[in-house]
Amino acid sequence: MTVVVGCGAGFSGDRTDAAVPLVDALLSYDAPRALMFETLGERTLAAAQLARLQDPDGGDEPLLEAFLAPVLGDCLRHDVTVLGNFGAANPEAARRRVAGLAVREGIAEARIAVIQGDDVREQMHALDWQPWEGERRELPEPSAVVAANVYLGAEALVEALSQGAQVVITGRVADPALALAPLRYHHDWAQDDWDRIAAGTLAGHLIECGAQVTGGYFADPGVKDVPGMASLGYPIVEVERDGSLIVTKPPGTGGLVTEQTVKEQLLYEIHDPGAYVTPDVVLDLTGVEVRQVGRDRVSVKGVRGKPAPERLKTTISFLEGYQGEAEISYAGPNALARAKLARDTLRQRLASRCPADMRSRFDLIGISSVFDGDSAVWRDIPGSLSEDIRLRLAVEHRERAVVELATQELLALYCCGPAGGGGVRRHHTRRLKTASYLVRREQVTPQVSIKQARVSHA
């Protein structure tokens, strides 16, 4: 038996019409089908937690209704299970919105599941914390913590499916778990069938970033040409019971699926191909075979699995000080020299008016904004033909007034700086930082709750 999973979004802010051709393609399969939406990054979740603090009904994915409205009715009417981490910091709010969509589609009996238990902020004092590899910071004080979310695995999602859920809403889960759950459920894979669990996790990893495996973030004109970038087809995986799988995309859509696109996504965010750690399994990708088997069809097999880790990764987001950015443009003849003069003038002003412990960075966009680092070596390379330069200032300090003073100094370059400066913009925000820790698996308890749409929408 084949199980088919498509991915309708690879991040918050993704194209909202991508799922339409995807669902049309899923409906053509005579097989169990699921549609996943991956919309949650670590900072996205922290921002969602801040939104929830400001509005108790906020904190879920802002584009949830835009993603789901075009396809939810077809999915519910034709047994295409929908799974998404668009609950973010407020899965119950997301459930109410999905329920409203279902009721408007005339499907008030739709069964909507919410997975909770990833948010451990209220129990931080009781957990056994261990720094994640590379983490050097001390655990923040609880009063500064905005969010503390554990990466859950697929287990609770599988339970929701076994209870008849048609839509599964989560907060923080490992991205591939959104695909692994329907694969585990329909193929009846045991939780410790490590090679099959690894195959399902790999299937999820290959499609979790949406169009990245079908030509998005791959295109490089003249080097890696991709047709139809304006109508990229989003990915589908066809997964067999033995774990072998095919990556493909809806017919008639733009983009492409080749060995190259699949290999790039295969290695995306993989720190160790021999031991890629997820909550459900540790993947060994060293024996994976990738082979083109048809137009826009690529076979992937050979992944091996090792037992799941004893600890789960947890992202802690906390507020620490303020950050500010400001920019001004210089264009035309001698633009680089005028931009450098503005930068040097601004640096002298900040040195005399701002505290020494204020962090600052100066970029000459068009010359050094990408390749330079905080060490600022690239910007001193002499000579440039560019006649369109934008000076960018970024600062950080514990006091907002200091940050505002620094960006105001850039604004003052209008009349106190070199000739022809213009187009100033500036803004200031609280500095939101993240740290990664590990907690014991047994200290985290996911919960599953299922309600009909008419109940949630009432």
Side-chain angles (χ1 to χ4, degrees):
M1 179 178 72
T2 305
V3 179
V4 186
V5 184
C7 181
F11 73 105
S12 176
D14 209 341
R15 289 178 177 171
T16 56
D17 60 348
V20 176
L22 194 56
V23 170
D24 289 342
L26 290 175
L27 295 181
S28 70
Y29 286 91
D30 183 17
R33 301 155 298 191
L35 174 65
M36 62 177 269
F37 291 85
E38 198 294 288
T39 61
L40 200 58
E42 294 187 349
R43 292 186 184 276
T44 311
L45 179 53
Q49 293 281 11
L50 288 175
R52 185 182 184 183
L53 291 176
Q54 296 171 356
D55 176 7
D57 194 43
D60 57 340
E61 166 55 47
L63 290 177
L64 187 158
E65 295 187 25
F67 283 130
L68 273 189
V71 297
L72 182 62
D74 280 341
C75 290
L76 293 174
R77 280 187 283 269
H78 298 285
D79 296 326
V80 178
T81 307
V82 177
L83 306 97
N85 54 14
F86 33 55
N90 197 345
E92 283 293 345
R95 170 149 58 187
R96 290 192 289 275
R97 293 187 219 292
V98 175
L101 292 173
V103 169
R104 287 199 286 277
E105 287 287 338
I107 313 173
E109 69 280 7
R111 293 173 61 79
I112 305 170
V114 160
I115 310 298
Q116 293 186 316
D118 62 300
D119 188 343
V120 296
R121 184 179 40 171
E122 299 299 326
Q123 59 196 89
M124 285 187 64
H125 64 282
L127 300 179
D128 178 28
W129 298 97
Q130 182 180 93
W132 190 54
E133 62 181 71
E135 183 59 67
R136 298 290 180 267
R137 288 167 291 192
E138 296 291 330
L139 195 67
E141 290 296 324
S143 60
V145 173
V146 172
N149 293 84
V150 178
Y151 279 80
L152 302 179
E155 185 64 22
L157 286 72
V158 175
E159 181 182 338
L161 296 178
S162 70
Q163 295 181 28
Q166 295 170 278
V167 180
V168 181
I169 299 169
T170 77
R172 179 76 280 168
V173 298
D175 300 346
L178 297 169
L180 174 61
L183 295 172
R184 260 193 64 187
Y185 173 69
H186 290 292
H187 281 314
D188 196 25
W189 288 337
Q191 188 176 358
D192 60 353
D193 186 349
W194 302 120
D195 286 345
R196 304 295 182 276
I197 300 301
T201 300
L202 178 57
H205 173 71
L206 288 171
I207 66 172
E208 69 185 31
C209 297
Q212 277 195 189
V213 74
T214 60
Y217 208 72
F218 174 86
D220 189 353
V223 181
K224 299 182 294 181
D225 292 311
V226 176
M229 291 290 288
S231 59
L232 289 173
Y234 277 46
I236 294 170
V237 281
E238 304 165 353
V239 184
E240 305 300 324
R241 184 175 172 78
D242 66 1
S244 60
L245 64 92
I246 298 286
V247 183
T248 185
K249 70 180 185 68
T253 58
L256 74 174
V257 180
T258 67
E259 292 184 9
Q260 290 73 30
T261 66
V262 171
K263 287 177 180 176
E264 282 201 10
Q265 180 61 29
L266 179 70
L267 296 175
Y268 177 72
E269 291 186 337
I270 299 294
H271 64 292
D272 181 356
Y276 178 48
V277 181
T278 77
D280 293 291
V281 66
V282 177
L283 282 77
D284 180 354
L285 301 170
T286 57
V288 169
E289 298 177 12
V290 177
R291 185 165 61 90
Q292 194 86 39
V293 294
R295 181 178 179 181
D296 294 322
R297 294 181 63 81
V298 172
S299 164
V300 181
K301 59 184 180 181
V303 64
R304 303 298 301 271
K306 305 172 186 175
E310 295 181 353
R311 287 180 175 265
L312 301 176
K313 183 182 177 185
T314 304
T315 301
I316 297 176
S317 302
F318 56 100
L319 295 170
E320 189 174 89
Y322 294 83
Q323 62 184 6
E325 286 184 277
E327 297 178 358
I328 186 169
S329 288
Y330 295 91
N334 210 28
L336 177 58
R338 286 183 283 125
K340 284 184 174 180
L341 175 58
R343 178 198 65 197
D344 296 342
T345 301
L346 183 59
R347 182 184 290 124
Q348 292 176 39
R349 292 288 298 176
L350 298 190
S352 65
R353 300 203 69 202
C354 296
D357 62 349
M358 183 187 74
R359 290 185 62 196
S360 60
R361 174 185 170 116
F362 303 80
D363 292 313
L364 296 177
I365 297 174
I367 297 294
S368 62
S369 58
V370 175
F371 292 111
D372 209 352
D374 287 350
S375 57
V377 175
W378 183 271
R379 67 186 179 211
D380 290 329
I381 294 177
S384 170
L385 297 178
S386 177
E387 295 185 343
D388 190 347
I389 310 294
R390 192 157 176 84
L391 170 61
R392 170 182 176 268
L393 168 70
V395 295
E396 175 188 2
H397 195 266
R398 63 182 179 280
E399 296 181 15
R400 182 183 179 93
V402 171
V403 170
E404 290 180 341
L405 173 61
T407 63
Q408 193 275 328
E409 282 290 337
L410 182 138
L411 176 63
L413 288 173
Y414 260 140
C415 292
C416 299
V424 169
R425 71 167 183 84
R426 60 181 186 136
H427 70 274
H428 320 95
T429 61
R430 292 295 304 272
R431 179 74 165 166
L432 187 62
K433 298 183 177 180
T434 63
S436 297
Y437 278 77
L438 302 171
V439 298
R440 293 187 184 279
R441 177 184 294 272
E442 62 270 20
Q443 292 185 308
V444 180
T445 307
Q447 300 105 36
V448 180
S449 163
I450 300 182
K451 295 179 182 177
Q452 286 192 338
R454 64 164 62 89
V455 176
S456 300
H457 185 57

